[in-house]
Amino acid sequence: MANTLPKVSVIVPVYNVEKYLAQCLDSLINQTYQNIEVLVVNDGSTDDSEQLIQRYAQQHPGKIKSFLKENGGLSDARNFGIDRATGDYIGFVDSDDYVNPPMFAEMVGLAEKHQAKMIICNIQKVDQHGKITQKLTQIPNMPEKIDLGKNFSVFSDLSYFACNKLFKKELFKEKRFKKEAHFEDIQLIPQLLLECETIAQTQNFHYQYLERTDSITKTHTERGLDILKAVEDVELFFKKSRYADRQEELKNFRIFEGVYSYLAYLAFVKNEDVFTAMALQLEHFMNERRIKLKDILGYSRFGKNYLLSLPLKKKIFYLLFFAGQKKLIRKLI
């Protein structure tokens, strides 16, 4: 009977995560949904990840498929997996995270029930002891079946993580993650959404995002400019999509990802020259698209004013930036 069910391919890119990988793979092996293949793509790890992968592949030959490749980055590893996936649906799980046992059973069920090409679940951040530190509701106050034409505000409000979604494989027919680009999810996932008429969601917090205490503090550099490049790529695809006339939602997408998400990254850029150059790029981005200050301050996400919903420190940073007080900002960060 299992073979009559749609097959799910879950792609797990691996790079130096020997400490966390077992918990991730265990959570996929123990899914209540059994018609699943787990494509573990070792992207040139230099630790003992490969030995662990081989052990799991030997213990679960019908489920774990192992691949070893030269290091090419997250996008390249995901694309490698997509090219080899044999399932009807594709999911992505980061190798230091883990998922709840019923995740894929529920998401496949919703996909089939509503003929949806993209299914979304909620995320919760957990610490290394499994304690929940933050709950991230993805689409509040909407039903499990969402007609995009009638609820297109979802396009500008959604968080574009790849890992808490299940995709119909056909969405990847002509699309892949952009190689050697940062913020590849912002670049690709909105384009996949624009190929959909119906999406579905569950309010269950199936995806467990591990906040690691041992991760090296990320250096925030001019690679943040890739956020603006990602938005530009989405804009080009938007013009050709069935939703091309929905300019208000496109403008809100630009504000959420191109202004707020970009500034959230910029807030951690320590080098003053880089900060200044990136700030100028944002001003150019806004001027080119005629995004006014009133548009930014008035932007609402899921029906609530976004700026007012933020923690005080973020509010202050954004308001100082918009007021042109970059010298005061430099003292804050």
Side-chain angles (χ1 to χ4, degrees):
M1 178 169 174
N3 290 333
T4 64
L5 294 170
K7 189 174 185 181
V8 174
S9 300
V10 181
I11 297 164
V12 182
V14 171
Y15 183 72
N16 291 354
V17 284
E18 58 175 316
K19 193 173 173 183
Y20 308 100
L21 185 56
Q23 185 174 30
C24 174
L25 296 181
D26 284 342
S27 76
L28 293 170
I29 289 159
N30 294 321
Q31 287 292 298
T32 57
Y33 195 82
Q34 286 298 299
N35 198 17
I36 186 171
E37 63 174 7
V38 182
L39 292 87
V40 188
V41 183
N42 184 352
D43 191 39
S45 295
T46 56
D47 65 356
D48 288 333
S49 293
E50 181 61 19
Q51 289 91 312
L52 187 65
I53 293 166
Q54 289 309 317
R55 193 171 83 234
Y56 272 83
Q58 287 163 15
Q59 290 172 351
H60 307 276
K63 197 158 283 187
I64 302 283
K65 296 184 177 180
S66 69
F67 302 92
L68 178 61
K69 62 181 284 296
E70 286 185 10
N71 181 258
L74 179 61
S75 291
D76 195 49
R78 283 176 172 173
N79 292 341
F80 186 97
I82 293 167
D83 291 342
R84 289 155 182 79
T86 63
D88 305 288
Y89 295 93
I90 291 178
F92 303 93
V93 175
D94 290 344
S95 51
D96 48 0
D97 299 334
Y98 55 99
V99 297
N100 289 349
M103 175 171 166
F104 289 106
E106 183 176 14
M107 292 175 87
V108 170
L110 289 170
E112 296 288 292
K113 178 182 174 183
H114 300 302
Q115 295 300 292
K117 293 180 184 175
M118 184 185 295
I119 306 87
I120 301 163
C121 74
N122 288 335
I123 300 173
Q124 56 193 18
K125 292 185 178 181
V126 293
D127 66 17
Q128 287 170 263
H129 305 289
K131 184 182 175 185
I132 299 162
T133 58
Q134 189 180 4
K135 284 181 171 284
L136 302 172
T137 301
Q138 299 301 289
I139 309 178
N141 310 316
M142 281 200 191
E144 67 176 32
K145 180 183 180 181
I146 299 171
D147 180 325
L148 274 180
K150 295 174 183 173
N151 300 281
F152 198 61
S153 60
V154 167
F155 172 75
S156 56
D157 292 347
L158 194 62
S159 293
Y160 284 107
F161 309 112
C163 59
N164 68 321
K165 297 172 179 67
L166 185 67
F167 305 91
K168 199 83 194 282
K169 188 184 180 183
E170 67 191 56
L171 288 175
F172 294 95
K173 190 175 179 182
E174 296 176 354
K175 289 192 166 45
R176 293 292 184 270
F177 289 94
K178 194 171 184 178
K179 288 184 185 179
E180 296 177 7
H182 299 281
F183 309 100
E184 58 280 303
D185 289 4
I186 297 174
Q187 193 270 345
L188 179 65
I189 310 304
Q191 295 187 49
L192 301 184
L193 184 76
L194 290 168
E195 296 275 24
C196 301
E197 292 178 49
T198 302
I199 63 171
Q201 66 152 341
T202 168
Q203 286 295 317
N204 287 320
F205 292 83
H206 284 313
Y207 195 89
Q208 315 300 307
Y209 175 90
L210 179 65
E211 291 194 290
R212 290 162 54 178
T213 54
D214 67 338
S215 59
I216 300 163
T217 305
K218 288 178 183 174
T219 307
H220 287 67
T221 64
E222 49 272 273
R223 71 182 184 180
L225 291 168
D226 281 1
I227 297 174
L228 301 184
K229 291 174 189 168
V231 173
E232 288 171 12
D233 285 351
V234 174
E235 288 172 338
L236 290 172
F237 188 76
F238 194 93
K239 288 178 187 174
K240 300 179 286 182
S241 77
R242 73 188 85 200
Y243 304 107
D245 62 326
R246 307 296 288 266
Q247 290 298 306
E248 187 65 28
E249 289 87 349
L250 177 60
K251 187 175 192 176
N252 284 336
F253 172 79
R254 289 163 168 158
I255 291 169
F256 181 50
E257 296 292 3
V259 179
Y260 280 115
S261 294
Y262 182 80
L263 279 174
Y265 182 92
L266 190 59
F268 293 95
V269 173
K270 301 297 183 188
N271 182 292
E272 191 166 347
D273 291 338
V274 173
F275 180 94
T276 303
M278 289 179 69
L280 286 171
Q281 286 294 321
L282 176 59
E283 287 171 21
H284 178 68
F285 174 89
M286 289 165 57
N287 290 335
E288 232 180 15
R289 289 156 183 80
R290 298 177 183 174
I291 298 171
K292 308 291 185 193
L293 182 58
K294 66 179 176 61
D295 300 324
I296 298 166
L297 298 179
Y299 166 66
S300 286
R301 187 172 185 231
F302 297 119
K304 294 181 180 178
N305 182 279
Y306 184 64
L307 189 61
L308 294 179
S309 72
L310 296 171
L312 182 61
K313 194 173 178 182
K314 272 193 173 181
K315 269 195 203 109
I316 292 169
F317 173 79
Y318 288 141
L319 289 170
L320 284 175
F321 186 91
F322 298 141
Q325 301 297 317
K326 296 186 183 66
K327 285 185 180 176
L328 279 175
I329 288 173
R330 296 308 304 163
K331 290 177 183 176
L332 275 179
I333 63 177

